[in-house]
Amino acid sequence: MGELETAQFSALVVVGLLVFFYGGTFLISTRIGKKEENADGYMTAGNNIGFGISAASMTATWIWASSMYASATSGYTYGISGPIHYGLWGALMILFIYPFGKRIRAVAPKAHTLAEVMYARHGRSSQLMLAGSNIVGSLISLMSNFIAGGVLISMLSPFTFTQGVFAVAAGVLLYTLWSGFRASVLTDFVQVVAMLGAVAVIVPFIFLAADFPAAFETGAGNLTAEQGNFFSSTAFMEQGAPYIAAVLAYAIGNQTIAQRLFAVKASLIKPTFLTATVGYGAMVIGVGMLGVLALYLGYEPVGGDVNNIIPGMAAEYLPPVLLALFFVMIVGALSSTADSDLAALSSIMMADVYGQNVAGKEKANPRTMLLVGRITMVVATAAAVAFASLQLNILDLLVFVGALWGALVFPVLASFYWDKVTGKAFTTSVVAALAVFLPVRFGWIPVDGLFGIVVDVLSVVGIGVVLGLMVFGFFGAKAAKIVGVAAVVVSAPFAVGSLHEYATLCGSLVAYSVSTVVCWAMSARHREGFDFALIAQRTGDFDDGDSAAAADADAAAPAAPAAPAADGDPEPAGTGTK
């Protein structure tokens, strides 16, 4: 392969492209800025975003530079089925969100975060558990996007990786800091249009420049038998299956998704997520095929780092004009998710930490909330920049966080549908799931012999839980139970005795199974049911104007019951239960 330096941009060109992109997004954000900012608008944009903006924002948030890089890594590692496993299952998870999203929105129409709803449902422990997991997840996401930006800039310019990370971090913070979530969703629309157009031009051009389809004939010898098999069991067990479990957890536990769910008009939830499903799948699978092409070409990523596959291929085959378009596309992809992470982190600190646990909902000062949100963005950016220096593998990070969130999926969803779930059941089930997940995922305990069989059995139960939850959203509890039991019965003969060999997959599945079994066992014996109508009363706007209006409207109504006690137990009968 030729030297990459021949395709690099000068420092002046890269600075010009960054100023063009981030300067433009900053100007867009200033157009929506308000002299007297609204705390609720800063977090959810008034719960009334239309279809075009919301669908574009959902697509852009789910498509990040890490998605593109990881899809290409999957194609390079597993062959042609790799990007399919990555992009198809990721797209379907967006589709699976919307039936759950309709229920969540119906129960908590004016909420800002899922953790805020868990506080209204159970109490402080479950709220902080969900908020804490999102803080960790969003910081990892932010870090991985800064890594992607640093790699891109260091490969295509004289600037170093660290300088690239700082440039991207400063640019994202610049346009997100003032208007928060509104800036994120509005710039997402521009970014996703640019990304879709760029992918439609760039990917076919690279394929043609690399002598497609002849390269797939001459380079077939570079593939192993598993890489050349579209139905590769290795690709499914090591990439497809873990990702199915991971992205379902992302869909339910991720605040960046929940924030858009609470922001879009309730009547537009279905078309928004259907559109995002198609957009995500098309773009991510298309870009991932560059990894497959690199595999056939025998391409060696710079420094042996698979994160360098996409920028390396672009530098090798694109002329300067299209390389500039590619540069803007990747910067747009990583920025659209990085600004979402900043908005998510700020809303968690505003609503969950300050709004409910420091000041209390009735005493929270919206101006102080805004200050907390903006300080959070600055601190989070600094932390992510520091962590980005580690240059960890992006695909591993994505799967790990998704598996970690698997411990939360059943307790969170059950809390919206089943009135018997208690705060203690929620907290205990998540802690128990993490206690099993971590040693299985990282091999702290040998999985030979009896323990391996136990892990396999738990994993088989996890298969039933994952498939059952997918079916439940669309077809209800009866169909979900049938599918879940059938999945366990069918998979057990093949899985028990061998599944523990796949640590990544088993880690995800045991997190699902343990949290589900413990949560169900502790909740089934609970006699009192929770009144879901209380959630809407316990969540809502923080802004003074909205609060005053709400106070006038409720002047003649009975006082709303207090939120659940801090220990997670429901209130006594007559104050919080049916």
Side-chain angles (χ1 to χ4, degrees):
M1 289 264 169
E3 294 295 326
L4 289 179
E5 285 77 4
T6 59
Q8 286 184 343
F9 293 125
S10 67
L12 184 62
V13 170
V14 169
V15 170
L17 290 172
L18 291 173
V19 170
F20 167 76
F21 179 82
Y22 286 120
T25 51
F26 175 71
L27 289 176
I28 292 173
S29 69
T30 59
R31 296 290 298 273
I32 61 173
K34 294 184 178 181
K35 186 176 182 180
E36 295 294 332
E37 187 59 84
N38 179 297
D40 298 297
Y42 196 85
M43 291 187 281
T44 54
N47 310 101
N48 201 37
I49 296 179
F51 168 71
I53 296 294
S54 59
S57 182
M58 184 66 249
T59 305
T61 298
W62 205 252
I63 298 172
W64 37 336
S66 299
S67 297
M68 296 184 177
Y69 283 30
S71 182
T73 297
S74 186
Y76 188 78
T77 304
Y78 300 109
I80 195 168
S81 65
I84 304 296
H85 283 307
Y86 190 95
L88 177 61
W89 303 127
L92 289 179
M93 287 310 106
I94 304 177
L95 181 66
F96 286 124
I97 298 172
Y98 95 77
F100 297 121
K102 291 174 68 176
R103 170 63 179 175
I104 293 170
R105 189 65 182 275
V107 170
K110 300 287 283 184
H112 307 86
T113 71
L114 275 179
E116 179 187 3
V117 181
M118 289 301 102
Y119 179 81
R121 177 69 173 86
H122 296 305
R124 185 170 292 117
S125 59
S126 57
Q127 177 203 25
L128 295 180
M129 188 171 288
L130 187 55
S133 69
N134 267 285
I135 290 173
V136 173
S138 288
L139 281 175
I140 290 177
S141 171
L142 198 59
M143 174 188 69
S144 65
N145 278 288
F146 290 167
I147 289 173
V151 167
L152 177 72
I153 292 174
S154 65
M155 290 192 67
L156 300 182
S157 77
F159 294 114
T160 65
F161 170 81
T162 301
Q163 290 170 330
V165 168
F166 272 97
V168 170
V172 172
L173 186 62
L174 174 70
Y175 72 85
T176 311
L177 186 64
W178 182 250
S179 297
F181 179 74
R182 290 203 317 277
S184 175
V185 294
L186 187 58
T187 54
D188 280 348
F189 180 81
V190 177
Q191 291 161 354
V192 79
V193 170
M195 286 190 290
L196 287 170
V199 168
V201 173
I202 289 172
V203 173
F205 188 95
I206 292 178
F207 266 78
L208 292 175
D211 198 23
F212 174 83
F216 275 59
E217 299 174 2
T218 59
N222 294 322
L223 278 67
T224 65
E226 285 293 322
Q227 289 172 330
N229 179 10
F230 183 81
F231 300 100
S232 166
S233 60
T234 300
F236 179 76
M237 296 299 290
E238 295 183 1
Q239 170 65 61
Y243 199 59
I244 293 172
V247 294
L248 178 60
Y250 262 101
I252 302 304
N254 194 330
Q255 170 59 19
T256 61
I257 307 300
Q259 201 163 13
R260 279 149 183 80
L261 174 63
F262 290 126
V264 66
K265 290 180 181 178
S267 61
L268 297 176
I269 291 175
K270 181 177 179 179
T272 292
F273 285 90
L274 286 175
T275 303
T277 297
V278 176
Y280 174 90
M283 183 178 293
V284 171
I285 292 174
V287 173
M289 287 300 170
L290 293 179
V292 178
L293 178 62
L295 177 64
Y296 273 89
L297 293 172
Y299 177 81
E300 293 293 333
V302 177
D305 187 351
V306 290
N307 292 336
N308 295 335
I309 292 174
I310 287 183
M313 291 286 287
E316 181 69 27
Y317 292 106
L318 292 178
V321 173
L322 288 183
L323 190 60
L325 182 63
F326 166 83
F327 183 91
V328 173
M329 177 190 76
I330 298 297
V331 170
L334 66 89
S335 298
S336 67
T337 304
D339 62 34
S340 300
D341 288 318
L342 289 179
L345 287 165
S346 66
S347 66
I348 289 171
M349 297 302 294
M350 290 168 70
D352 295 311
V353 177
Y354 170 77
Q356 288 183 317
N357 286 287
V358 176
K361 182 165 177 57
E362 300 303 322
K363 297 181 180 179
N365 186 326
R367 292 186 179 181
T368 303
M369 292 182 73
L370 286 168
L371 179 61
V372 168
R374 288 170 176 150
I375 291 175
T376 298
M377 287 191 180
V378 175
V379 173
T381 300
V385 167
F387 291 138
S389 62
L390 300 175
Q391 290 188 259
L392 301 174
N393 183 282
I394 292 174
L395 184 57
D396 287 345
L397 287 175
L398 296 181
V399 175
F400 170 73
V401 175
L404 191 65
W405 274 337
L408 289 158
V409 174
F410 182 85
V412 168
L413 288 178
S415 296
F416 284 99
Y417 289 89
W418 190 18
D419 62 358
K420 297 295 191 293
V421 179
T422 66
K424 288 181 180 178
F426 185 106
T427 304
T428 304
S429 63
V430 173
V431 172
L434 293 178
V436 179
F437 161 74
L438 292 173
V440 171
R441 174 63 180 84
F442 295 106
W444 295 347
I445 302 176
V447 290
D448 302 341
L450 181 61
F451 185 70
I453 298 299
V454 172
V455 170
D456 288 345
V457 171
L458 289 174
S459 299
V460 168
V461 174
I463 293 172
V465 171
V466 171
L467 296 180
L469 287 175
M470 292 179 180
V471 172
F472 172 72
F474 290 97
F475 304 106
K478 184 176 180 180
K481 292 175 182 177
I482 294 173
V483 170
V485 171
V488 170
V489 172
V490 171
S491 62
F494 305 98
V496 176
S498 61
L499 197 56
H500 59 266
E501 298 174 5
Y502 301 92
T504 301
L505 175 57
C506 281
S508 298
L509 294 176
V510 298
Y512 276 97
S513 62
V514 172
S515 63
T516 299
V517 171
V518 174
C519 185
W520 175 84
M522 293 184 65
S523 300
R525 63 191 182 188
H526 191 70
R527 294 183 179 181
E528 296 179 341
F530 179 80
D531 184 359
F532 287 105
L534 298 178
I535 293 179
Q537 298 177 38
R538 293 170 176 171
T539 58
D541 293 333
F542 285 92
D543 186 75
D544 286 336
D546 294 328
S547 298
D552 292 339
D554 295 337
D567 64 3
D569 285 331
E571 293 296 310
T575 62
T577 56
K578 292 192 243 186

